[in-house]
Amino acid sequence: MFNLAKKNKKYIMKNLLSENGMGIIEIIVVVAIILSAFVAILQLTFLERRAQIIAREDIEAYMLARESLEATRSIRDDSWANLSSLTYDIPYYVVINTNVWEITATDPGPVNGYDRWVEVSQVFRDANDDITTSGGVSDPDTLEVTSYVEWTTAGGNTRQVDMKTYLTNWQEYR
């Protein structure tokens, strides 16, 4: 009987020791899982913040490009000669001077970290009077205006957006 009790005691002690060891392993696994989840949530937070910054920069750049096109349209409305006299496919800068938009070849430099400019291009029309990119006849009463906005991101990358529109000498036909 004494021998059986001794064996049972050994068996019980062995089980207790293995359960204690298993408890420590379980705690380590749980801590590792919790830390992994915390790191994943932290990375997701940083990724979301970066996405918000990129979206804000893109929206601001597109708004500036659109504003440049509208400023060019306003300059055209003052006089078609303001645009038709420009050299094709070189950068021009739209600036506001005493509440009036002007177009100049002098770069004013970045404004709030964004460089912006417009380029005026010649337009050609085919036999059906449709705008074409190859061949055709030059249309002196239509210009293609492309607005560019360029900036450097927080990571040091240079990004650029552009928008195009066609402007016509509509006042000639009034």
Side-chain angles (χ1 to χ4, degrees):
M1 178 100 153
F2 179 70
N3 197 12
L4 185 60
K6 195 174 182 183
K7 282 184 181 180
N8 281 343
K9 187 175 180 185
K10 271 186 175 179
Y11 179 74
I12 291 170
M13 288 301 286
K14 184 178 177 183
N15 283 343
L16 282 174
L17 287 176
S18 67
E19 286 179 15
N20 284 342
M22 194 61 152
I24 291 172
I25 291 173
E26 288 172 350
I27 289 171
I28 291 172
V29 168
V30 168
V31 168
I33 290 171
I34 290 171
L35 285 175
S36 297
F38 179 73
V39 168
I41 290 170
L42 193 59
Q43 286 178 336
L44 185 62
T45 302
F46 286 132
L47 181 64
E48 174 63 23
R49 177 69 179 133
R50 181 70 187 133
Q52 287 176 353
I53 290 170
I54 289 171
R56 181 187 48 78
E57 288 175 349
D58 282 352
I59 289 170
E60 191 168 353
Y62 278 107
M63 289 173 54
L64 289 170
R66 187 71 181 147
E67 181 182 54
S68 294
L69 290 178
E70 292 300 324
T72 306
R73 186 173 281 118
S74 174
I75 292 167
R76 181 265 332 249
D77 289 346
D78 286 340
S79 173
W80 177 250
N82 291 338
L83 295 181
S84 64
S85 63
L86 299 176
T87 304
Y88 297 134
D89 301 320
I90 67 167
Y92 288 98
Y93 306 91
V94 289
V95 293
I96 197 155
N97 189 6
T98 60
N99 297 327
V100 176
W101 286 106
E102 295 178 352
I103 197 158
T104 179
T106 305
D107 184 358
V111 177
N112 295 331
Y114 294 89
D115 285 312
R116 64 178 173 166
W117 67 94
V118 297
E119 291 181 8
V120 177
S121 301
Q122 190 173 15
V123 172
F124 295 93
R125 294 194 181 267
D126 62 16
N128 296 326
D129 206 29
D130 294 327
I131 293 174
T132 181
T133 56
S134 61
V137 178
S138 175
D139 181 357
D141 288 326
T142 306
L143 294 172
E144 179 185 72
V145 179
T146 306
S147 174
Y148 297 93
V149 177
E150 186 175 89
W151 73 100
T152 303
T153 64
N157 298 325
T158 300
R159 302 220 25 219
Q160 184 182 71
V161 298
D162 62 84
M163 295 178 127
K164 292 184 181 189
T165 193
Y166 292 100
L167 296 179
T168 61
N169 185 9
W170 62 272
Q171 293 178 351
E172 178 74 20
Y173 302 101
R174 283 199 293 168

